[in-house]
Amino acid sequence: MKITTVVFDKDGTLSDNATFKPLLQHILDKLPQHKEVLSEILGWDLVTEDFVCDAYFLTATVDLINAALDKAGVLVEYTPVFEKAMEEIYEVKTLGDVPKLFTDLRSRGYKIAMLTSDDRRPTELFNTQFKLVDLLESVVCGDDGHGQKPSAEPLLYIAKQLGVEPSSMVMVGDSKGDVNSGQAAGCRTISVLTGAGDPATIQHADAVLPSVHDMLEVLDKWEAE
């Protein structure tokens, strides 16, 4: 079947997860009394000072993270530190020229959508900052109420919204949740090695690539089948 739509994850796929490192390091430094429990929940290795594979901080929705922190009794102290750090420290960067990639895909006739575990507000800021708003035909966020990865539900919602068959869609992401969501919905899947995913857990994708900028050749191959 012809491919109609390419659906992208955001963090670790289009945006650089490395920018989260100084943010979380700052939070841990500000809350030394909770450093160990925060590291365990959020997926931070205190020895290597880096994120573990599939780190919760990078892959879970804000609501799920907050629920875990609340259960551990650290949410009240974490929240103001996190919010201040997001305003003063965090600087988002894209992984390469994302607007050009989207423009190239649109010129080939593909619809482009975004499916992220992030909340609506930071996602809209990201899309506005990097001039992606007019290139996207659907954006589904973790707090929109349309289900969450690895469920098929958010991708099925996008398919219905755009009037396409799920089997004509490609899900592109950096984690096993992206792959599993795509496969559950009946989409083709592409994993990229630029984010939080453990390479060993994303090999079941239809294609595994260094980055999103290597995907055009794969799409051409699939279209020719």
Side-chain angles (χ1 to χ4, degrees):
M1 179 178 286
K2 177 178 172 58
I3 297 168
T4 64
T5 308
V6 183
V7 184
F8 289 91
D9 167 58
K10 180 169 69 73
D11 295 331
T13 302
L14 302 175
S15 67
D16 191 351
N17 278 344
T19 58
F20 284 113
K21 291 182 183 180
L23 174 73
L24 188 51
Q25 285 175 320
H26 173 82
I27 293 170
L28 295 176
D29 288 342
K30 289 291 184 179
L31 298 169
Q33 70 277 25
H34 300 310
K35 180 174 285 190
E36 290 188 3
V37 67
L38 286 172
S39 297
E40 182 178 354
I41 293 171
L42 301 176
W44 182 258
D45 190 320
L46 290 170
V47 177
T48 63
E49 296 189 333
D50 201 352
F51 290 107
V52 302
C53 290
D54 296 313
Y56 210 55
F57 188 80
L58 302 176
T59 60
T61 64
V62 173
D63 285 346
L64 288 175
I65 291 172
N66 286 346
L69 295 175
D70 189 36
K71 185 176 180 180
V74 296
L75 180 62
V76 172
E77 292 174 83
Y78 168 87
T79 298
V81 175
F82 170 77
E83 290 178 348
K84 186 175 182 180
M86 283 294 291
E87 292 179 3
E88 299 179 357
I89 296 175
Y90 181 59
E91 180 182 0
V92 65
K93 297 179 181 178
T94 60
L95 289 161
D97 193 340
V98 173
K100 182 180 184 304
L101 172 64
F102 280 17
T103 300
D104 288 345
L105 289 168
R106 289 285 296 265
S107 72
R108 292 170 178 237
Y110 296 119
K111 300 175 187 288
I112 304 174
M114 181 180 290
L115 171 57
T116 176
S117 296
D118 203 0
D119 279 1
R120 170 66 52 177
R121 182 173 177 274
T123 299
E124 289 182 343
L125 290 173
F126 174 84
N127 290 337
T128 299
Q129 179 177 346
F130 295 105
K131 297 179 172 58
L132 304 179
V133 174
D134 293 336
L135 298 171
L136 287 158
E137 297 195 44
S138 176
V139 178
V140 174
C141 303
D143 58 346
D144 284 349
H146 301 303
Q148 300 166 0
K149 297 177 284 187
S151 164
E153 187 177 347
L155 283 169
L156 296 178
Y157 173 81
I158 290 173
K160 183 177 181 180
Q161 185 183 42
L162 299 183
V164 302
E165 292 295 326
S167 58
S168 74
M169 294 165 47
V170 180
M171 178 67 212
V172 185
D174 67 302
S175 73
K176 62 183 179 183
D178 298 313
V179 181
N180 292 344
S181 182
Q183 292 183 341
C187 307
R188 295 207 188 195
T189 55
I190 294 177
S191 288
V192 292
L193 303 175
T194 49
D198 180 348
T201 68
I202 58 176
Q203 294 298 319
H204 58 303
D206 294 304
V208 181
L209 303 174
S211 80
V212 293
H213 302 286
D214 300 292
M215 67 182 294
L216 294 180
E217 185 176 343
V218 172
L219 294 178
D220 288 342
K221 179 182 177 181
W222 289 345
E223 290 280 14
E225 292 178 353

